[in-house]
Amino acid sequence: MFAAIDNPSFQAFPWLGLLLWAAFAAAAAACTSATRWVHATGQTLEIPHADRWAVAVAACGLALLGGFLAAGPIAIPVAAAAAAAALVGFVRKRDAVVPESRRFLSRGGMANIAAEVRAASKRATERQRAEKQPAPTLAERLKALIGGLGKAKAKRGDPAAAEGVATAADNGVFTFLKKDGTPAIATDDPEAMSDNVRNSRKMLMAAMRAEATDIHLEPQEQQYFVRFRIDGVLQDIDKMPIQEGRGVMSTLKVLSDMNIAERRRPQDGTFAATLDAAKYDIRAASTPTSYGEKMVLRLLQSSGGVMKSGLDSIGLRPQVLKRLNEIIHKPYGMFLVVGPTGSGKTTTVYASLSEIDAHKHNITTIEDPVEYRLENITQIAVNSQAEVSFAKILRSVLRQDPDVLLVGEIRDKETAEIACQAALTGHFVFSTLHANDTVATITRLLDLGLDPTLIQTAVTAVLGQRLARKLCEKCKQKCDPPPGLLKKFKLRDGEIGHIYREKGCEHCRGTGFKGRMGIHELLVMNDGIRDLISDQPVVGDLKKAAIKSGTQTLQIDGLMKVIKGQTSVSEILRVTT
Ligand SMILES: [Zn+2]
């Protein structure tokens, strides 16, 4: 009766029968998932007659079942070919409505999708690695905090426990504020809010509780990804169904005064919020992607904000601290703090400035925007919209008899030139610059078009900086120092005992790290280095001269902190390579 089983070749080779059944099962499973995919994609992308395609693929599945039982193995390739034909038909319809970069039947689209799949699988492995640790991962804990966002509450095994965390997340007074500080939403009561406002509130509260600095809302084909940046590292937090994500997006656009109908152009705006006693200024920036709008929110805690701590609070090694204190108390010259975005340059430059006696010196800052308030100091904000640039303000400030100047950031030749002139004419100038390390600062200034002689004469010292995460004191794990580390410091086996690596516990939300500290390299200008600065400096020679004059590179400074047990080798490699 069953051709597939009665086939004579099966009696001769029983394993062949098993193999054929396995092939049949695989083909049937493939047909089922293909049907589901066609149905879901058709619905999301609103492809006309999408369900006819789903029925076509499903019919191939049924034909496979019937054919396999009646006619034997030949049914597998026949049904597979039919299903593939139906699928290709559907994919052509799909490709017609998705952006170029998402098309399956285009080489560029495929390459793009393949790259995304690789990135996603990398993220998944990293997540798995984190989940192997016994403590709940950050994502799990925040999911519980966010509660309703991913419908996690309904799915959770223990409803009472879920209720507990959800209430904890709702505990506390959260208020949405407009730019001018007036309430933006009529009520603070989550029960009285619309779903979209309530979801936005939960997401923001979770981010504030996790001490996140940024929230990323990224649309995918069928959902929105929510990621938080905590201690400088982006972490996957949650997913939202696409409709829910769009609702949150609209709420955030209204709050930050954006044009809600505009989805094709990048926009930005600001709003504020308070959670208990803390006030946050929130900068929102939206940008179109192939699946719709993406949004990044930057959270700046604005209460407090007065810089009181000095240079000894930023994690400088004692020798570097001593050198730096000598440098910034010179009557004239220029001190630059350099590093990539988010490396803590502003904090360091303010901490140095706060070491200077504001009663005896006329200190003026020019910033974009003013990030910390300092006592007894004139602070001026650059307003790029009113065409009041760094250079323009700097010129007028120089007529106000300043002793010490802080130029927020050197971005162009004009600012660099005036700042150098000021440093040469009896002022001490502090500034920051976007450069990878101290030696790269010299080439960066030359690239801006600055004359080599100005750099030789004006720049006193450059401090390169990164922020590295500190190991969580509650769960850090002893381990042997890798041979490479010992070799780098010319140490013998056993000379430094053990170092530590990250593990993860409840205290650090499963990451193994808690808080951050700076790692630094200080380059003090001397004749040897000045001689090497020309139109076309040899970077290798500059590096050698810097090291000869006592500069410890960022990596060496970081590894010294590894030996002290403050951070891990992997963290230092992450921030210095
Ligand atoms: Zn821990």
Side-chain angles (χ1 to χ4, degrees):
M1 174 197 168
F2 291 129
I5 304 164
D6 295 343
N7 192 307
S9 56
F10 289 1
Q11 267 103 49
F13 307 101
W15 53 269
L16 192 64
L18 277 178
L19 210 65
L20 282 169
W21 275 104
F24 164 73
C31 268
T32 317
S33 11
T35 309
R36 278 211 200 120
W37 177 75
V38 170
H39 173 74
T41 310
Q43 294 266 310
T44 322
L45 299 176
E46 292 173 351
I47 294 170
H49 314 305
D51 270 338
R52 288 190 200 167
W53 292 102
V55 169
V57 181
C60 295
L62 286 175
L64 169 74
L65 177 67
F68 187 67
L69 293 179
I74 185 70
I76 300 178
V78 173
L87 261 178
V88 169
F90 174 75
V91 166
R92 291 172 85 116
K93 296 269 173 202
R94 173 198 172 276
D95 278 5
V97 296
V98 297
E100 174 83 52
S101 63
R102 312 292 317 160
R103 286 180 196 157
F104 286 149
L105 300 177
S106 106
R107 190 177 289 178
M110 264 332 276
N112 195 22
I113 292 164
E116 276 181 25
V117 169
R118 278 197 298 274
S121 84
K122 199 175 150 206
R123 275 210 297 274
T125 354
E126 277 164 16
R127 221 177 6 242
Q128 263 177 6
R129 205 175 299 152
E131 275 167 6
K132 272 188 196 150
Q133 293 154 352
T137 64
L138 174 71
E140 282 170 17
R141 284 168 56 79
L142 288 170
K143 198 169 228 165
L145 270 177
I146 297 172
L149 268 185
K151 308 239 173 355
K153 206 168 128 187
K155 281 184 200 154
R156 216 150 265 269
D158 178 1
E163 198 67 47
V165 230
T167 335
D170 275 354
N171 271 341
V173 182
F174 183 90
T175 313
F176 284 108
L177 299 170
K178 285 188 202 154
K179 241 189 298 190
D180 57 12
T182 55
I185 306 276
T187 174
D188 287 348
D189 176 13
E191 294 302 315
M193 289 172 177
S194 71
D195 285 351
N196 292 340
V197 175
R198 193 165 47 238
N199 287 338
S200 313
R201 172 186 182 271
K202 274 185 179 159
M203 183 180 76
L204 284 164
M205 282 175 87
M208 289 166 183
R209 294 238 152 94
E211 291 169 37
T213 51
D214 302 79
I215 303 174
H216 290 231
L217 260 175
E218 291 163 19
Q220 297 295 312
E221 197 158 346
Q222 302 185 5
Q223 59 205 356
Y224 261 88
F225 277 132
V226 181
R227 300 205 276 164
F228 289 174
R229 187 178 293 281
I230 301 171
D231 284 342
V233 180
L234 260 186
Q235 304 183 11
D236 289 343
I237 301 295
D238 201 9
K239 288 174 200 149
M240 282 189 252
I242 197 101
Q243 289 306 335
E244 228 169 277
R246 284 187 190 144
V248 168
M249 200 78 166
S250 304
T251 304
L252 295 169
K253 282 170 82 178
V254 172
L255 280 166
S256 40
D257 254 348
M258 293 184 190
N259 176 356
I260 188 162
E262 175 63 79
R263 295 200 182 89
R264 289 164 195 272
R265 265 184 261 269
Q267 299 189 69
D268 47 47
T270 53
F271 63 99
T274 57
L275 176 60
D276 303 327
K279 184 176 177 234
Y280 294 82
D281 286 324
I282 299 162
R283 286 188 218 157
S286 75
T287 186
T289 73
S290 46
Y291 286 126
E293 279 182 297
K294 171 190 161 141
M295 187 176 275
V296 176
L297 301 169
R298 166 148 290 190
L299 311 180
L300 296 162
Q301 201 171 347
S302 56
S303 45
V306 180
M307 172 61 77
K308 287 217 176 78
S309 44
L311 266 182
D312 53 357
S313 67
I314 58 166
L316 292 164
R317 278 182 296 114
Q319 301 91 314
V320 177
L321 180 63
K322 191 165 164 270
R323 282 306 291 278
L324 212 50
N325 256 317
E326 289 162 12
I327 291 161
I328 61 172
H329 286 101
K330 286 185 193 290
Y332 62 89
M334 184 190 265
F335 172 54
L336 294 167
V337 181
V338 306
T341 311
S343 56
K345 299 191 285 285
T346 314
T347 310
T348 300
V349 90
Y350 276 98
S352 343
L353 203 57
S354 69
E355 294 285 332
I356 293 169
D357 188 345
H359 295 284
K360 290 191 187 148
H361 298 90
N362 175 4
I363 307 178
T364 306
T365 75
I366 307 161
E367 304 162 66
D368 178 21
V370 173
E371 287 184 44
Y372 296 98
R373 282 176 293 116
L374 289 158
E375 282 154 9
N376 300 316
I377 283 179
T378 314
Q379 289 178 280
I380 304 171
V382 169
N383 186 342
S384 51
Q385 270 160 358
E387 293 193 357
V388 188
S389 63
F390 271 118
K392 251 188 198 160
I393 302 179
L394 190 49
R395 274 210 185 87
S396 78
V397 164
L398 281 171
R399 293 191 285 268
Q400 311 259 326
D401 186 30
D403 300 302
V404 175
L405 285 165
L406 163 64
V407 180
E409 190 185 348
I410 291 180
R411 290 179 205 156
D412 54 73
K413 184 185 177 191
E414 204 185 357
T415 312
E417 270 177 357
I418 309 170
C420 285
Q421 298 291 359
L424 289 173
T425 51
H427 311 90
F428 198 89
V429 181
F430 290 86
S431 191
T432 70
L433 188 86
H434 209 101
N436 263 338
D437 56 42
T438 51
V439 167
T441 308
I442 293 166
T443 48
R444 175 89 181 95
L445 287 170
L446 289 167
D447 286 346
L448 282 179
L450 208 60
D451 194 282
T453 48
L454 263 186
I455 305 174
Q456 287 168 340
T457 46
V459 178
T460 315
V462 185
L463 183 76
Q465 176 163 330
R466 293 285 189 284
L467 285 179
R469 291 178 294 169
K470 284 197 268 191
L471 281 169
C472 168
E473 289 298 326
K474 304 235 161 151
C475 67
K476 65 182 186 184
Q477 242 180 357
K478 276 185 191 174
C479 64
D480 289 331
L485 179 73
L486 297 172
K487 211 170 150 197
K488 203 150 200 164
F489 288 97
K490 300 190 176 66
L491 291 167
R492 279 190 310 276
D493 215 7
E495 202 162 343
I496 53 166
H498 54 261
I499 56 168
Y500 292 89
R501 67 169 167 231
E502 62 272 21
K503 181 168 176 265
C505 71
E506 199 165 334
H507 182 67
C508 57
R509 304 186 193 95
T511 56
F513 297 100
K514 187 91 184 160
R516 287 192 286 177
M517 65 180 171
I519 59 171
H520 307 96
E521 66 176 47
L522 178 66
L523 171 74
V524 183
M525 208 50 95
N526 61 24
D527 288 341
I529 296 166
R530 279 190 195 103
D531 288 346
L532 293 170
I533 301 175
S534 63
D535 287 329
Q536 304 265 310
V538 182
V539 175
D541 289 352
L542 275 172
K543 267 194 182 140
K544 269 186 218 146
I547 291 168
K548 199 175 149 207
S549 72
T551 299
Q552 304 271 21
T553 63
L554 281 168
Q555 203 167 65
I556 294 288
D557 187 58
L559 293 174
M560 284 178 172
K561 284 164 181 166
V562 170
I563 292 174
K564 280 191 190 161
Q566 295 170 319
T567 185
S568 71
V569 173
S570 66
E571 177 65 5
I572 294 306
L573 294 179
R574 182 184 73 88
V575 296
T576 57
T577 45

